[in-house]
Amino acid sequence: MSLIVMKFGGSSVGTPERMERVAKRIIDRQSEGHDIIVVVSAMGDTTDDLIDQSKKLNPNPPAREMDMLLTVGEQISIALLSMTIHGLGGKAMSFTGWQAGIQTDQVHGKAKISDIDPQKLRQALADGNVAVVAGFQGSDENGQITTLGRGGSDTTAVALAAAIKADLCEIYTDVDGIYTTDPRIVKNARKLNEISYDEMLELAHLGAAVLHPRAVEYAKHYNVKLVVRSSFTQNEGTIVKEEANMEQGVVVSGIAFEKNVARISIMGVEDEPGVLAHVFGALADRSVNVDIIVQSGVEGGKADFSFTVSGDDREKAIATIESIRETVPYRETTSEDGLVKVSIVGAGMVSNHGVAATMFETISNLDVSIKMVSTSEIKVSCVIASEKLNEVVIALHTVYGLDASEQAFVGGPSERR
Amino acid sequence: MSLIVMKFGGSSVGTPERMERVAKRIIDRQSEGHDIIVVVSAMGDTTDDLIDQSKKLNPNPPAREMDMLLTVGEQISIALLSMTIHGLGGKAMSFTGWQAGIQTDQVHGKAKISDIDPQKLRQALADGNVAVVAGFQGSDENGQITTLGRGGSDTTAVALAAAIKADLCEIYTDVDGIYTTDPRIVKNARKLNEISYDEMLELAHLGAAVLHPRAVEYAKHYNVKLVVRSSFTQNEGTIVKEEANMEQGVVVSGIAFEKNVARISIMGVEDEPGVLAHVFGALADRSVNVDIIVQSGVEGGKADFSFTVSGDDREKAIATIESIRETVPYRETTSEDGLVKVSIVGAGMVSNHGVAATMFETISNLDVSIKMVSTSEIKVSCVIASEKLNEVVIALHTVYGLDASEQAFVGGPSERR
């Protein structure tokens, strides 16, 4: 007998029919002989509706009261899902975050889980119940209700799985699993059977947001075995674990991309200690999220550097840089938007040569110019013009052997990326 | 400085405009120099909507899960009301039932308050906050969420007022206060300035349900001074307290009535010990609520008795009696619906003669026949045909001096009712 955590998102329980299908699935899983903890999000538009209601009364409500309001969404879901399980002849008990023993710090709106006391859940399971837990919420040491912020229900599921030493944490979603790339762009994109935590992190951060990065980090830290699978089909899904299967020479696991990227360059900056810290500190203070940062060489004591931000933040970023010109003098700034970032991700890159070179060559063969490059142990990213996105992704998907029913082999023997 | 509990029902906060008016009223009251605890119900149709949602998934949901679901309604109210108070420049903190320290027994759906630990509320008040508490809910000793059942928010308000030794508990509602009778029937019905707990209990039980009887009982037990007043006007309202003002010879305080009453009579029952217990036990087992019970004399070892039930329960009551005929043999049953119960209520009756006689005479002068009579220390009830209701109430209202701008004096000197 295993202990399994099953997590369902808001769209999986958005209608009575879906709620019933989820309840059946839970009962089936339990009748296979497993102990089942379910984590569920707020149904469909509940959260947005509550936010709308609050905005009418106070456009800037206190975070504590917002948590009080929004946690209601998951509380409705757990109650209704438990009732539905009972209605189908099963046995279930619902638990709010605080009832499930989920303790957090005091940061309303984006609290971090500090501790979990799973005693009540264990008792409910021992009594033959499915334990249905509200995702996204907990309480601090003073009994204040908190929410975990974005991706909160995924995090609740993984954290519970870690605390209660579950054998498996299943993330049910509206896709079949993790794909080599977006099937809307590459028709023969392939579902991955396995992927490592690190690869999943790179993919998720890069826009394939099936599973929240924070939950993946948590899973990696506590070595919780994840499965991402569809709540609508019985397909196997994708396993996310420490060491994914690499025996078949799979070097690149997937192609990710991020749209609406802008590049900003600062030219002729005095090459002094602390300049970068000053620039990016100022941007962080104004909540401008910087992604890739590239500094080319220093010449005559002056440096040029470039970075990317979301296209929406371009104006704000430029204004910020202009505002600090007195402290950080520079010759000029340039910027460009209408860009995308394309990334190849794969744990196998570490031990394979020429992976990056193949990427650059493939892109250049399409006569597409690479504006910026960034690399990590398991990822290479290129910034290109957005109108070239589809053809680049399709070509990369093929060249790295990711197309369905092809064997993967990648990279030349001579060059280390 | 006083400590005041203000209770607002669901219709008082049903729209953003009303919510704002309530928030202003609370801030005004606080700025008079009082500490304020607010108890609020679920907004408008929230509870009904949640019940509808649940019925679609399970027509007979477990009571525990129903409590989990329904408590959400008040949680939304407290969060939104607190936000609104903040939006208007005030300071407020919301509290669920369990956060407010409201402990109950374990009877989901109709829990009784067992204890209140007002420590967190005191702290919030000391910090200058309005404490906004969810009505209708608490938690048991195991941290299970419970609801208090009907009239729950009134009870929450009174229980909190008792526990925290408030100087006053204000029940805001959509009427100005307690009236001598229903102003829809008697145009010059008069608002009472004061009324005793016992009178209020009789009036509330009899259908003038502005304030739930359970809350009044609680107030009487802990001697909590209540005020019933309008959330829409600044009028003074009606004070409910131990000894109401009787100096002006007010004997009857109000005329109450209950519609849709049915009479059931059982004729020729063996006059043996335990017969009544058996009959009314069987009715209670099937949740038939019996009101007036009258037994006329015993003749030849056989008794006749009659009782009233809601018209909706008439069929069920008769079926129940037929089902126990083997155990409790009788000659026949008769029944009649389309009846109403009219009651005069007044603490002054105890020490005044002839009050009941005046009632009977007034009714008989209208050529209306009295089907059943029941009396208590502070109440006389007559069951009559429903089409006679209005003229009887109007006549009684006048004869007992309750019409607006009349002096009240009632009852002859010679007869003790």
Side-chain angles (χ1 to χ4, degrees):
Chain A
M1 193 178 79
S2 304
L3 172 51
I4 300 178
V5 175
M6 305 171 77
K7 184 257 166 180
F8 294 91
S11 69
S12 300
V13 291
T15 66
E17 296 71 35
R18 288 180 174 202
M19 185 71 91
E20 211 156 280
R21 187 172 45 203
V22 163
K24 277 199 191 104
R25 184 142 201 172
I26 291 165
I27 292 172
D28 287 350
R29 206 85 173 99
Q30 191 190 31
S31 65
E32 289 166 11
H34 307 298
D35 276 344
I36 305 290
I37 296 176
V38 174
V39 174
V40 65
S41 306
M43 292 159 66
D45 302 326
T46 312
T47 305
D48 290 339
D49 290 347
L50 290 169
I51 291 173
D52 286 350
Q53 272 190 286
S54 76
K55 293 284 178 227
K56 280 185 207 148
L57 295 164
N58 185 345
N60 291 304
R64 178 188 184 279
E65 302 305 328
M66 206 63 193
D67 280 357
M68 180 67 86
L69 182 67
L70 294 186
T71 47
V72 155
E74 281 74 20
Q75 191 171 331
I76 294 173
S77 293
I78 57 172
L80 292 178
L81 182 54
S82 300
M83 288 176 191
T84 310
I85 291 172
H86 276 269
L88 294 171
K91 232 182 126 185
M93 271 180 90
S94 63
F95 293 85
T96 62
W98 56 271
Q99 288 181 321
I102 299 172
Q103 278 231 341
T104 73
D105 61 21
Q106 309 188 345
V107 186
H108 287 289
K110 43 185 177 181
K112 289 206 174 72
I113 294 175
S114 53
D115 195 18
I116 295 183
D117 173 2
Q119 195 199 326
K120 285 191 178 164
L121 296 185
R122 280 192 205 286
Q123 185 57 51
L125 295 175
D127 294 344
N129 291 290
V130 172
V132 181
V133 180
F136 177 66
Q137 60 179 249
S139 67
D140 72 11
E141 56 186 0
N142 298 317
Q144 308 283 345
I145 294 175
T146 52
T147 62
L148 306 180
R150 284 205 156 263
S153 289
D154 287 346
T155 307
T156 300
V158 175
L160 274 176
I164 206 162
K165 299 188 176 27
D167 299 279
L168 188 62
C169 178
E170 298 181 329
I171 308 288
Y172 288 84
T173 170
D174 46 11
V175 297
D176 258 0
I178 310 299
Y179 276 73
T180 49
T181 195
D182 188 337
R184 284 170 300 186
I185 291 185
V186 180
K187 274 184 207 145
N188 49 4
R190 194 158 42 79
K191 198 192 72 192
L192 296 162
N193 294 323
E194 294 191 348
I195 189 171
S196 71
Y197 296 125
D198 287 334
E199 289 173 317
M200 186 67 214
L201 277 172
E202 293 290 5
L203 285 171
H205 273 303
L206 292 168
V210 177
L211 181 57
H212 200 271
R214 188 168 160 201
V216 181
E217 280 164 24
Y218 216 103
K220 178 177 153 78
H221 187 73
Y222 290 101
N223 203 18
V224 174
K225 187 172 163 190
L226 297 177
V227 176
V228 177
R229 60 192 302 187
S230 167
S231 53
F232 304 109
T233 73
Q234 293 292 332
N235 296 352
E236 292 257 317
T238 302
I239 297 169
V240 189
K241 58 181 191 179
E242 188 54 55
E243 285 296 326
N245 192 345
M246 279 182 286
E247 70 268 26
Q248 291 175 314
V250 177
V251 176
V252 171
S253 299
I255 319 282
F257 54 85
E258 192 179 327
K259 296 181 178 179
N260 190 23
V261 170
R263 173 192 58 78
I264 293 168
S265 299
I266 312 181
M267 324 294 274
V269 184
E270 205 68 45
D271 179 39
E272 277 172 358
V275 160
L276 283 178
H278 202 88
V279 171
F280 293 106
L283 289 165
D285 286 348
R286 297 183 201 192
S287 301
V288 175
N289 237 330
V290 174
D291 183 10
I292 299 179
I293 301 172
V294 177
Q295 182 178 0
S296 34
V298 179
E299 202 171 307
K302 303 280 185 182
D304 300 342
F305 62 90
S306 301
F307 57 89
T308 61
V309 297
S310 158
D312 299 336
D313 282 343
R314 180 187 176 188
E315 301 288 341
K316 190 153 69 157
I318 292 173
T320 303
I321 290 157
E322 281 167 2
S323 76
I324 56 167
R325 193 163 193 168
E326 291 210 354
T327 330
V328 183
Y330 54 84
R331 196 177 67 245
E332 60 170 337
T333 61
T334 64
S335 72
E336 179 180 14
D337 58 11
L339 303 176
V340 290
K341 182 174 74 168
V342 180
S343 305
I344 57 172
V345 173
M349 283 187 204
V350 177
S351 51
N352 276 270
H353 300 240
V355 180
T358 302
M359 182 181 195
F360 302 149
E361 194 184 333
T362 306
I363 295 175
S364 102
N365 284 347
L366 294 168
D367 216 17
V368 174
S369 75
I370 297 171
K371 315 264 183 179
M372 287 172 86
V373 172
S374 158
T375 64
S376 79
E377 291 297 301
I378 64 165
K379 181 188 67 171
V380 183
S381 303
C382 295
V383 175
I384 60 171
S386 58
E387 66 268 22
K388 303 294 186 181
L389 174 65
N390 287 15
E391 55 178 317
V392 166
V393 171
I394 290 167
L396 291 171
H397 200 265
T398 301
V399 79
Y400 288 113
L402 296 174
D403 293 348
S405 69
E406 273 198 23
Q407 197 67 357
F409 178 76
V410 167
S414 59
E415 196 195 9
R416 180 77 175 89
R417 67 172 175 84
Chain B
M1 192 177 80
S2 303
L3 171 51
I4 300 178
V5 174
M6 304 171 78
K7 184 259 168 179
F8 294 92
S11 68
S12 300
V13 292
T15 65
E17 296 69 36
R18 288 180 174 202
M19 184 73 89
E20 211 155 280
R21 187 173 44 203
V22 164
K24 278 200 190 103
R25 184 142 200 172
I26 291 165
I27 292 172
D28 287 349
R29 205 85 173 99
Q30 191 190 31
S31 66
E32 289 166 11
H34 307 297
D35 276 343
I36 305 290
I37 295 176
V38 173
V39 173
V40 65
S41 307
M43 291 158 66
D45 301 326
T46 311
T47 304
D48 290 339
D49 289 348
L50 290 169
I51 291 173
D52 286 349
Q53 272 191 285
S54 77
K55 294 285 177 224
K56 281 186 206 146
L57 295 165
N58 185 343
N60 290 305
R64 179 189 184 279
E65 302 306 328
M66 207 62 194
D67 281 357
M68 180 67 87
L69 183 68
L70 294 186
T71 47
V72 154
E74 281 74 20
Q75 192 170 333
I76 294 173
S77 292
I78 57 173
L80 292 178
L81 182 54
S82 299
M83 289 176 190
T84 310
I85 292 172
H86 276 270
L88 295 172
K91 233 182 126 186
M93 273 180 89
S94 62
F95 292 84
T96 62
W98 57 271
Q99 287 181 322
I102 298 172
Q103 279 229 343
T104 73
D105 62 21
Q106 309 189 343
V107 187
H108 286 290
K110 43 185 176 179
K112 290 206 173 74
I113 294 174
S114 53
D115 195 20
I116 295 183
D117 174 2
Q119 195 198 326
K120 285 192 178 163
L121 296 185
R122 281 192 204 286
Q123 185 57 52
L125 294 175
D127 294 343
N129 291 289
V130 173
V132 181
V133 180
F136 177 66
Q137 60 179 251
S139 66
D140 72 11
E141 56 187 0
N142 297 316
Q144 308 284 343
I145 295 174
T146 52
T147 62
L148 306 181
R150 283 204 156 264
S153 288
D154 288 345
T155 307
T156 300
V158 175
L160 274 177
I164 206 162
K165 298 189 176 28
D167 300 280
L168 189 61
C169 179
E170 298 180 330
I171 308 288
Y172 287 84
T173 170
D174 45 10
V175 297
D176 258 1
I178 310 298
Y179 275 73
T180 49
T181 194
D182 187 337
R184 286 171 299 188
I185 291 184
V186 180
K187 273 183 206 144
N188 48 4
R190 194 158 41 81
K191 197 192 71 192
L192 295 163
N193 293 324
E194 296 191 347
I195 189 170
S196 71
Y197 296 123
D198 288 333
E199 289 173 316
M200 187 66 215
L201 277 172
E202 294 290 6
L203 285 172
H205 274 303
L206 292 168
V210 176
L211 180 57
H212 200 270
R214 189 168 160 201
V216 181
E217 280 164 24
Y218 216 104
K220 177 177 154 78
H221 187 73
Y222 290 101
N223 202 17
V224 174
K225 187 174 164 191
L226 297 176
V227 175
V228 177
R229 59 193 300 187
S230 166
S231 53
F232 306 108
T233 73
Q234 294 292 333
N235 296 352
E236 292 258 317
T238 301
I239 297 170
V240 189
K241 59 182 192 178
E242 189 54 53
E243 284 296 325
N245 191 345
M246 280 183 286
E247 70 267 27
Q248 291 175 315
V250 178
V251 176
V252 171
S253 299
I255 318 285
F257 53 86
E258 193 179 328
K259 296 180 179 179
N260 191 23
V261 170
R263 173 193 57 82
I264 292 168
S265 299
I266 312 181
M267 324 294 276
V269 185
E270 206 67 45
D271 180 40
E272 276 170 0
V275 160
L276 283 177
H278 202 87
V279 171
F280 293 105
L283 289 165
D285 286 348
R286 299 185 198 188
S287 301
V288 175
N289 236 329
V290 173
D291 183 11
I292 299 179
I293 301 172
V294 177
Q295 182 178 359
S296 34
V298 179
E299 201 171 310
K302 304 279 185 184
D304 300 342
F305 61 90
S306 301
F307 57 90
T308 61
V309 297
S310 157
D312 299 337
D313 283 343
R314 180 188 176 187
E315 301 288 341
K316 190 153 71 157
I318 292 173
T320 304
I321 290 158
E322 280 167 3
S323 75
I324 56 167
R325 193 164 191 167
E326 291 209 355
T327 330
V328 183
Y330 54 83
R331 196 177 67 243
E332 61 171 335
T333 61
T334 64
S335 71
E336 179 179 13
D337 57 11
L339 303 177
V340 291
K341 182 174 74 168
V342 180
S343 305
I344 57 171
V345 173
M349 283 187 205
V350 177
S351 51
N352 277 271
H353 300 242
V355 180
T358 303
M359 182 181 195
F360 304 149
E361 193 185 332
T362 305
I363 295 175
S364 103
N365 284 347
L366 294 168
D367 216 17
V368 174
S369 74
I370 297 172
K371 315 262 182 179
M372 286 172 86
V373 173
S374 157
T375 63
S376 79
E377 290 299 300
I378 64 166
K379 182 189 67 173
V380 182
S381 302
C382 294
V383 175
I384 60 170
S386 57
E387 67 268 21
K388 303 294 186 181
L389 174 66
N390 287 15
E391 54 179 316
V392 166
V393 171
I394 290 167
L396 290 172
H397 199 265
T398 301
V399 81
Y400 287 114
L402 297 174
D403 293 349
S405 68
E406 274 199 22
Q407 197 67 356
F409 179 77
V410 167
S414 59
E415 194 195 11
R416 179 81 173 88
R417 68 172 173 82

